[in-house]
Amino acid sequence: MTDRSGNSIEGGCICGAVRYRVSGQLADVIACHCRECRRMSGHYYAATAASQEAFEITETSGLAWFGSSKSSRRGFCRVCGSSLFFDHGPNEPVGIAAGSIDGKPTLKLAAHIYVDEAGDYYAIDDNVEQFDSLRWRNGGWDKLRHDDPR
Ligand SMILES: [Zn+2]
Ligand SMILES: [Zn+2]
């Protein structure tokens, strides 16, 4: 798979013990400010997503998963601590930390979510749409998809 310039998309952790490749389109980036993402990332979590079929983990020696809920797990590197994946199960797109992609992919930030749980030490003032937890749970994802011109 390729990005808009025809290059393949790869990424991984700081130390190289987890690497992945994406062979399809990457979704727009969503920044999640929920308490869990704040702890996992140390700030807030910005993730793109790919279909399970298009996503392949090519180096797993450092890969570890944390079961963050009954239906989801978070992937990270147990060697260097990089936060990498958010897996919601086999039928859902896999979330990929936007900062873990090699080089400078052309990705666009589409939304800030769970803004009611955001830290009080930063402002969200970039004119990107914001969803609080209630609005996000009540169809926010569908609304975003609807707005997506692709
Ligand atoms: Zn690593
Ligand atoms: Zn979150």
Side-chain angles (χ1 to χ4, degrees):
M1 311 312 281
T2 59
D3 65 15
R4 283 169 201 161
S5 1
N7 304 308
S8 67
I9 295 163
E10 295 184 45
C13 65
I14 299 174
C15 76
V18 183
R19 296 284 305 164
Y20 62 86
R21 183 184 306 131
V22 177
S23 59
Q25 272 294 337
L26 288 170
D28 287 342
V29 174
I30 293 177
C32 185
H33 300 258
C34 81
R35 290 182 193 95
E36 201 177 87
C37 286
R38 287 175 53 198
R39 287 192 191 279
M40 184 76 186
S41 66
H43 187 33
Y44 61 84
Y45 196 77
T48 179
S51 70
Q52 296 277 356
E53 304 79 60
F55 173 71
E56 183 191 2
I57 298 176
T58 53
E59 173 57 60
T60 62
S61 59
L63 182 62
W65 293 96
F66 170 69
S68 45
S69 79
K70 267 182 216 152
S71 57
S72 66
R73 57 182 189 158
R74 291 170 179 263
F76 62 97
C77 177
R78 73 166 83 86
V79 180
C80 69
S82 296
S83 176
L84 294 164
F85 312 124
F86 200 151
D87 182 12
H88 303 268
N91 302 317
E92 297 291 332
V94 57
I96 301 168
S100 70
I101 297 169
D102 294 352
K104 294 191 174 179
T106 35
L107 290 171
K108 169 177 137 239
L109 184 63
H112 293 281
I113 67 172
Y114 286 84
V115 295
D116 50 319
E117 297 184 12
D120 59 7
Y121 60 90
Y122 59 89
I124 307 171
D125 56 3
D126 54 8
N127 293 320
V128 169
E129 185 162 17
Q130 299 186 20
F131 295 81
D132 63 19
S133 49
L134 193 65
R135 188 169 159 239
W136 181 249
R137 283 194 222 103
N138 291 331
W141 180 245
D142 294 336
K143 184 187 179 302
L144 267 192
R145 291 205 157 162
H146 185 70
D147 289 349
D148 193 332
R150 277 172 292 177

